[in-house]
PDB file of all heavy atoms in Angstrom:
ATOM      1  N   LEU Y  96      30.007   0.119  20.562  1.00 96.00           N
ATOM      2  CA  LEU Y  96      31.206   0.633  19.905  1.00 96.00           C
ATOM      3  C   LEU Y  96      31.200   2.144  19.697  1.00 96.00           C
ATOM      4  O   LEU Y  96      32.226   2.793  19.963  1.00 96.00           O
ATOM      5  CB  LEU Y  96      31.411  -0.081  18.566  1.00 96.00           C
ATOM      6  CG  LEU Y  96      32.721   0.217  17.827  1.00 96.00           C
ATOM      7  CD1 LEU Y  96      33.927  -0.167  18.669  1.00 96.00           C
ATOM      8  CD2 LEU Y  96      32.752  -0.503  16.487  1.00 96.00           C
ATOM      9  N   PRO Y  97      30.101   2.771  19.225  1.00 97.00           N
ATOM     10  CA  PRO Y  97      30.142   4.226  19.007  1.00 97.00           C
ATOM     11  C   PRO Y  97      30.485   5.037  20.259  1.00 97.00           C
ATOM     12  O   PRO Y  97      31.401   5.873  20.210  1.00 97.00           O
ATOM     13  CB  PRO Y  97      28.739   4.546  18.481  1.00 97.00           C
ATOM     14  CG  PRO Y  97      28.298   3.278  17.824  1.00 97.00           C
ATOM     15  CD  PRO Y  97      28.848   2.181  18.700  1.00 97.00           C
ATOM     16  N   PRO Y  98      29.801   4.841  21.407  1.00 96.00           N
ATOM     17  CA  PRO Y  98      30.197   5.614  22.593  1.00 96.00           C
ATOM     18  C   PRO Y  98      31.572   5.222  23.122  1.00 96.00           C
ATOM     19  O   PRO Y  98      32.302   6.070  23.646  1.00 96.00           O
ATOM     20  CB  PRO Y  98      29.098   5.306  23.615  1.00 96.00           C
ATOM     21  CG  PRO Y  98      28.462   4.046  23.157  1.00 96.00           C
ATOM     22  CD  PRO Y  98      28.567   4.049  21.667  1.00 96.00           C
ATOM     23  N   ALA Y  99      31.940   3.940  22.989  1.00 96.00           N
ATOM     24  CA  ALA Y  99      33.264   3.520  23.457  1.00 96.00           C
ATOM     25  C   ALA Y  99      34.355   4.197  22.646  1.00 96.00           C
ATOM     26  O   ALA Y  99      35.365   4.679  23.200  1.00 96.00           O
ATOM     27  CB  ALA Y  99      33.390   1.996  23.348  1.00 96.00           C
ATOM     28  N   PHE Y 100      34.169   4.263  21.333  1.00 95.00           N
ATOM     29  CA  PHE Y 100      35.153   4.930  20.474  1.00 95.00           C
ATOM     30  C   PHE Y 100      35.222   6.410  20.794  1.00 95.00           C
ATOM     31  O   PHE Y 100      36.308   7.010  20.803  1.00 95.00           O
ATOM     32  CB  PHE Y 100      34.780   4.724  19.005  1.00 95.00           C
ATOM     33  CG  PHE Y 100      35.913   4.969  18.054  1.00 95.00           C
ATOM     34  CD1 PHE Y 100      36.707   3.924  17.618  1.00 95.00           C
ATOM     35  CD2 PHE Y 100      36.196   6.244  17.594  1.00 95.00           C
ATOM     36  CE1 PHE Y 100      37.760   4.143  16.742  1.00 95.00           C
ATOM     37  CE2 PHE Y 100      37.248   6.487  16.729  1.00 95.00           C
ATOM     38  CZ  PHE Y 100      38.038   5.416  16.295  1.00 95.00           C
ATOM     39  N   LEU Y 101      34.069   7.025  21.070  1.00 96.00           N
ATOM     40  CA  LEU Y 101      34.042   8.440  21.450  1.00 96.00           C
ATOM     41  C   LEU Y 101      34.856   8.682  22.710  1.00 96.00           C
ATOM     42  O   LEU Y 101      35.655   9.631  22.777  1.00 96.00           O
ATOM     43  CB  LEU Y 101      32.596   8.890  21.659  1.00 96.00           C
ATOM     44  CG  LEU Y 101      32.405  10.228  22.386  1.00 96.00           C
ATOM     45  CD1 LEU Y 101      32.998  11.378  21.582  1.00 96.00           C
ATOM     46  CD2 LEU Y 101      30.930  10.469  22.693  1.00 96.00           C
ATOM     47  N   ILE Y 102      34.664   7.849  23.724  1.00 96.00           N
ATOM     48  CA  ILE Y 102      35.383   8.017  24.995  1.00 96.00           C
ATOM     49  C   ILE Y 102      36.882   7.922  24.782  1.00 96.00           C
ATOM     50  O   ILE Y 102      37.662   8.761  25.268  1.00 96.00           O
ATOM     51  CB  ILE Y 102      34.906   6.978  26.020  1.00 96.00           C
ATOM     52  CG1 ILE Y 102      33.457   7.260  26.419  1.00 96.00           C
ATOM     53  CG2 ILE Y 102      35.798   6.974  27.259  1.00 96.00           C
ATOM     54  CD1 ILE Y 102      32.811   6.161  27.241  1.00 96.00           C
ATOM     55  N   VAL Y 103      37.321   6.921  24.030  1.00 96.00           N
ATOM     56  CA  VAL Y 103      38.754   6.751  23.768  1.00 96.00           C
ATOM     57  C   VAL Y 103      39.299   7.937  22.989  1.00 96.00           C
ATOM     58  O   VAL Y 103      40.364   8.482  23.319  1.00 96.00           O
ATOM     59  CB  VAL Y 103      38.999   5.438  23.002  1.00 96.00           C
ATOM     60  CG1 VAL Y 103      40.469   5.335  22.569  1.00 96.00           C
ATOM     61  CG2 VAL Y 103      38.629   4.238  23.865  1.00 96.00           C
ATOM     62  N   TYR Y 104      38.573   8.351  21.955  1.00 96.00           N
ATOM     63  CA  TYR Y 104      39.031   9.462  21.116  1.00 96.00           C
ATOM     64  C   TYR Y 104      39.089  10.771  21.906  1.00 96.00           C
ATOM     65  O   TYR Y 104      40.027  11.562  21.749  1.00 96.00           O
ATOM     66  CB  TYR Y 104      38.102   9.615  19.913  1.00 96.00           C
ATOM     67  CG  TYR Y 104      38.590  10.575  18.861  1.00 96.00           C
ATOM     68  CD1 TYR Y 104      39.791  10.349  18.193  1.00 96.00           C
ATOM     69  CD2 TYR Y 104      37.853  11.710  18.525  1.00 96.00           C
ATOM     70  CE1 TYR Y 104      40.240  11.232  17.219  1.00 96.00           C
ATOM     71  CE2 TYR Y 104      38.288  12.587  17.551  1.00 96.00           C
ATOM     72  CZ  TYR Y 104      39.477  12.350  16.896  1.00 96.00           C
ATOM     73  OH  TYR Y 104      39.929  13.228  15.934  1.00 96.00           O
ATOM     74  N   ALA Y 105      38.091  10.992  22.764  1.00 96.00           N
ATOM     75  CA  ALA Y 105      38.064  12.210  23.568  1.00 96.00           C
ATOM     76  C   ALA Y 105      39.198  12.226  24.592  1.00 96.00           C
ATOM     77  O   ALA Y 105      39.815  13.270  24.834  1.00 96.00           O
ATOM     78  CB  ALA Y 105      36.713  12.350  24.266  1.00 96.00           C
ATOM     79  N   LEU Y 106      39.481  11.076  25.197  1.00 95.00           N
ATOM     80  CA  LEU Y 106      40.563  11.006  26.177  1.00 95.00           C
ATOM     81  C   LEU Y 106      41.931  11.210  25.525  1.00 95.00           C
ATOM     82  O   LEU Y 106      42.846  11.763  26.144  1.00 95.00           O
ATOM     83  CB  LEU Y 106      40.524   9.660  26.897  1.00 95.00           C
ATOM     84  CG  LEU Y 106      39.350   9.442  27.855  1.00 95.00           C
ATOM     85  CD1 LEU Y 106      39.372   8.032  28.431  1.00 95.00           C
ATOM     86  CD2 LEU Y 106      39.373  10.478  28.986  1.00 95.00           C
ATOM     87  N   ARG Y 107      42.057  10.780  24.275  1.00 95.00           N
ATOM     88  CA  ARG Y 107      43.325  10.946  23.563  1.00 95.00           C
ATOM     89  C   ARG Y 107      43.484  12.349  23.000  1.00 95.00           C
ATOM     90  O   ARG Y 107      44.588  12.735  22.594  1.00 95.00           O
ATOM     91  CB  ARG Y 107      43.435   9.924  22.429  1.00 95.00           C
ATOM     92  CG  ARG Y 107      43.538   8.479  22.911  1.00 95.00           C
ATOM     93  CD  ARG Y 107      43.745   7.526  21.759  1.00 95.00           C
ATOM     94  NE  ARG Y 107      45.004   7.779  21.061  1.00 95.00           N
ATOM     95  CZ  ARG Y 107      45.426   7.085  20.012  1.00 95.00           C
ATOM     96  NH1 ARG Y 107      44.680   6.088  19.542  1.00 95.00           N
ATOM     97  NH2 ARG Y 107      46.572   7.366  19.436  1.00 95.00           N
ATOM     98  N   ASN Y 108      42.394  13.106  22.962  1.00 94.00           N
ATOM     99  CA  ASN Y 108      42.432  14.473  22.420  1.00 94.00           C
ATOM    100  C   ASN Y 108      41.724  15.418  23.390  1.00 94.00           C
ATOM    101  O   ASN Y 108      40.711  16.028  23.063  1.00 94.00           O
ATOM    102  CB  ASN Y 108      41.764  14.525  21.043  1.00 94.00           C
ATOM    103  CG  ASN Y 108      42.480  13.693  20.015  1.00 94.00           C
ATOM    104  OD1 ASN Y 108      43.446  14.126  19.396  1.00 94.00           O
ATOM    105  ND2 ASN Y 108      42.007  12.466  19.818  1.00 94.00           N
ATOM    106  N   LYS Y 109      42.277  15.508  24.595  1.00 92.00           N
ATOM    107  CA  LYS Y 109      41.663  16.341  25.623  1.00 92.00           C
ATOM    108  C   LYS Y 109      41.703  17.817  25.234  1.00 92.00           C
ATOM    109  O   LYS Y 109      42.627  18.283  24.585  1.00 92.00           O
ATOM    110  CB  LYS Y 109      42.376  16.120  26.954  1.00 92.00           C
ATOM    111  CG  LYS Y 109      42.219  14.707  27.513  1.00 92.00           C
ATOM    112  CD  LYS Y 109      42.960  14.563  28.836  1.00 92.00           C
ATOM    113  CE  LYS Y 109      42.803  13.153  29.414  1.00 92.00           C
ATOM    114  NZ  LYS Y 109      43.524  12.984  30.681  1.00 92.00           N
ATOM    115  N   LYS Y 110      40.657  18.519  25.667  1.00 89.00           N
ATOM    116  CA  LYS Y 110      40.518  19.953  25.427  1.00 89.00           C
ATOM    117  C   LYS Y 110      40.546  20.309  23.941  1.00 89.00           C
ATOM    118  O   LYS Y 110      41.021  21.364  23.548  1.00 89.00           O
ATOM    119  CB  LYS Y 110      41.615  20.739  26.171  1.00 89.00           C
ATOM    120  CG  LYS Y 110      41.543  20.575  27.688  1.00 89.00           C
ATOM    121  CD  LYS Y 110      42.566  21.450  28.385  1.00 89.00           C
ATOM    122  CE  LYS Y 110      42.460  21.305  29.903  1.00 89.00           C
ATOM    123  NZ  LYS Y 110      43.434  22.162  30.611  1.00 89.00           N
ATOM    124  N   GLN Y 111      40.016  19.410  23.119  1.00 92.00           N
ATOM    125  CA  GLN Y 111      39.937  19.666  21.674  1.00 92.00           C
ATOM    126  C   GLN Y 111      38.484  19.819  21.204  1.00 92.00           C
ATOM    127  O   GLN Y 111      38.227  19.916  20.019  1.00 92.00           O
ATOM    128  CB  GLN Y 111      40.602  18.526  20.907  1.00 92.00           C
ATOM    129  CG  GLN Y 111      42.086  18.383  21.151  1.00 92.00           C
ATOM    130  CD  GLN Y 111      42.878  19.546  20.587  1.00 92.00           C
ATOM    131  OE1 GLN Y 111      42.539  20.093  19.547  1.00 92.00           O
ATOM    132  NE2 GLN Y 111      43.933  19.946  21.282  1.00 92.00           N
TER     133      GLN Y 111
END
Side-chain angles (χ1 to χ4, degrees):
L96 187 60
F100 199 94
L101 166 63
I102 292 170
V103 173
Y104 189 61
L106 290 176
R107 293 184 63 180
N108 297 276
K109 295 180 180 179
K110 298 185 179 181
Q111 296 292 325

